[in-house]
């Protein structure tokens, strides 16, 4: 599969999506870990991704993050963007996906998940619309329905939202 390639299978799966879940580091960020001289963790988020999430919400859909790290900065960003679900310090992303499914009432067929690394594999295999960012690890490229042109932290989430919304609204 080539980056940015939209297949008929992707179109059919995308039409059912109601909830966009994603990893944080490597998806909403560039995946690098930044620390200040005092040890404070720093993250950078791309404004295009934030705007895309706002567009997704305005279209009536929900979002969530399942991440293996914990960060006050992420809590702030989630609050700013009104992201519906946040699970930090996840030790079992598949189990945490189940918690979100139980809370939201959505089925796996209504879930898209965006990942970048092997910690996302099990969730990507479980959801109906598995997506990876352009600079993901090779293992993900074998199982996802879409690979972004953009890298994580560089507008990849916005790209995903535009592509998925196009399928929902036009097909």
């Amino acid at each position: 599969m080539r980056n940015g390639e939209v297949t008929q299978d992707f179109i059919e799966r995308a039409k059912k999506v109601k909830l966009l879940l994603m990893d944080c580091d490597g998806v909403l960020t560039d995946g690098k870990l930044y620390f200040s001289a005092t040890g404070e963790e720093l993250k950078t988020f791309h404004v295009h991704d934030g705007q895309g999430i706002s567009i997704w919400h305005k279209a009536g859909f929900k979002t969530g993050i399942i991440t293996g790290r914990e960060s006050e900065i992420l809590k702030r960003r989630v609050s700013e963007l009104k992201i519906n679900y946040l699970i930090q310090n996840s030790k079992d992303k598949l189990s945490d996906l189940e918690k979100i499914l139980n809370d939201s009432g959505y089925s796996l067929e209504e879930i898209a998940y965006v990942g970048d690394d092997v910690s996302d594999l099990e969730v990507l295999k479980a959801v109906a619309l598995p997506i990876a960012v352009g600079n993901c690890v090779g293992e993900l490229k074998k199982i996802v329905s879409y690979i972004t042109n953009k890298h994580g932290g560089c507008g990849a989430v916005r790209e995903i939202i535009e592509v998925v919304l196009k399928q929902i609204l036009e097909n």
Side-chain angles (χ1 to χ4, degrees):
M1 169 179 292
R2 294 179 313 230
N3 293 27
E5 181 180 355
V6 175
T7 64
Q8 189 60 41
D9 179 62
F10 173 84
I11 292 169
E12 293 306 314
R13 291 171 184 236
K15 287 193 261 185
K16 299 174 186 171
V17 171
K18 305 274 190 277
L19 174 60
L20 175 64
L21 297 175
M22 61 205 100
D23 184 19
C24 177
D25 297 311
V27 173
L28 285 170
T29 74
D30 63 9
K32 297 175 185 171
L33 300 177
Y34 300 91
F35 296 96
S36 71
T38 61
E40 179 185 17
E41 184 177 6
L42 308 171
K43 293 184 186 291
T44 60
F45 299 96
H46 201 293
V47 69
H48 290 174
D49 290 333
Q51 185 62 41
I53 289 169
S54 293
I55 291 166
W56 182 255
H57 289 159
K58 285 177 187 170
F61 302 107
K62 295 188 176 184
T63 54
I65 296 171
I66 304 173
T67 181
R69 297 182 58 80
E70 189 160 347
S71 164
E72 287 299 317
I73 294 168
L74 179 57
K75 284 183 192 175
R76 178 177 171 185
R77 189 68 173 149
V78 163
S79 176
E80 288 173 353
L81 295 174
K82 298 177 177 47
I83 291 174
N84 306 92
Y85 302 97
L86 173 63
I87 297 179
Q88 295 197 86
N89 203 27
S90 177
K91 302 299 181 215
D92 182 349
K93 288 188 176 185
L94 197 55
S95 174
D96 290 328
L97 169 64
E98 286 295 323
K99 290 176 190 171
I100 291 172
L101 290 173
N102 290 335
D103 185 56
S104 69
Y106 291 123
S107 68
L108 288 171
E109 290 76 29
E110 298 170 303
I111 309 295
Y113 183 84
V114 187
D116 72 305
D117 211 337
V118 293
S119 62
D120 301 308
L121 272 171
E122 295 307 311
V123 174
L124 288 166
K125 289 177 183 176
V127 300
L129 191 62
I131 301 168
V133 295
N135 59 328
C136 70
V137 297
E139 292 92 333
L140 272 63
K141 292 180 180 182
K142 299 172 188 171
I143 64 162
V144 297
S145 297
Y146 185 83
I147 303 167
T148 63
N149 288 306
K150 299 195 184 261
H151 287 192
C154 297
V157 171
R158 172 69 172 269
E159 177 185 336
I160 291 159
I161 288 168
E162 289 176 353
V163 170
V164 173
L165 275 178
K166 179 178 181 182
Q167 307 318 311
I168 292 170
L169 300 175
E170 292 183 6
N171 291 301

